[in-house]
Amino acid sequence: MDARLNYYGNPLAGKALKHFLSASKALSDSTLPATIQHLVEVRASQINGCGFCTDMHTKEATHAGETSVRLNLIAAWREATVFTEAERAALELAEQGTRVADAAGGVTDEAWADAAKHFDEDQLAALTTLIAIINAYNRINIITQQPAGSYKVGMFG
């Protein structure tokens, strides 16, 4: 499979990506736990069918110490016993925030309230931004058909 566009080598796309990367850096520097960030990135990427991001974020999570059991159960997190209540709240918010078109009501007040029990205001801002950013990356990769499987940990810095 070949990408439709060498998006990551395109000068105009590179200018836009600098801003995405800046936002991503702010999120990685936030107090939102890295474990939560990895779970959310993987789950949104799975929902969107973004192979490139699923490949990237599972490898980054593994490198950060995430277990294969937990990574394999992300798609079935509701029935899995390996996630904390905070992780479950983040995964629910990520799913509802990603499935906006599927879920006519968007993010429910219940999902937001549950997340607010586990995260402070800055962490909620980071979580909300992370969900938006990973969805944007997913869409770029899906539209341009970026192939999955060749990502190397740390490849983008």
Side-chain angles (χ1 to χ4, degrees):
M1 171 187 239
D2 292 323
R4 291 175 171 158
L5 170 69
N6 180 7
Y7 189 84
Y8 296 97
N10 180 280
L12 177 62
K15 288 179 186 178
L17 282 173
K18 284 182 189 178
H19 299 285
F20 279 74
L21 293 171
S22 179
S24 296
K25 175 71 171 125
L27 297 174
S28 67
D29 291 344
S30 76
T31 61
L32 184 65
T35 300
I36 299 280
Q37 293 184 44
H38 290 305
L39 294 175
V40 165
E41 289 165 335
V42 171
R43 186 62 189 129
S45 299
Q46 290 173 331
I47 291 166
N48 287 323
C50 182
F52 185 86
C53 285
T54 301
D55 179 37
M56 174 182 178
H57 294 296
T58 56
K59 287 175 179 173
E60 290 289 343
T62 299
H63 181 73
E66 190 56 78
T67 69
S68 61
V69 169
R70 284 169 44 93
L71 288 172
N72 289 331
L73 288 173
I74 291 172
W77 66 268
R78 282 181 180 81
E79 293 80 30
T81 60
V82 297
F83 301 106
T84 68
E85 289 304 313
E87 290 168 341
R88 296 167 89 60
L91 287 164
E92 181 66 35
L93 194 66
E95 282 199 10
Q96 288 188 23
T98 298
R99 296 184 188 275
V100 173
D102 299 343
V107 174
T108 64
D109 290 338
E110 180 183 16
W112 183 261
D114 193 29
K117 285 188 234 174
H118 301 284
F119 304 104
D120 65 27
E121 191 170 286
D122 284 347
Q123 291 171 323
L124 286 168
L127 184 55
T128 300
T129 306
L130 176 64
I131 293 165
I133 292 288
I134 191 58
N135 274 278
Y137 278 125
N138 290 166
R139 280 149 179 77
I140 289 168
N141 290 324
I142 291 165
I143 291 165
T144 61
Q145 290 187 338
Q146 297 300 315
S150 62
Y151 179 81
K152 305 285 187 240
V153 172
M155 193 166 125
F156 294 125

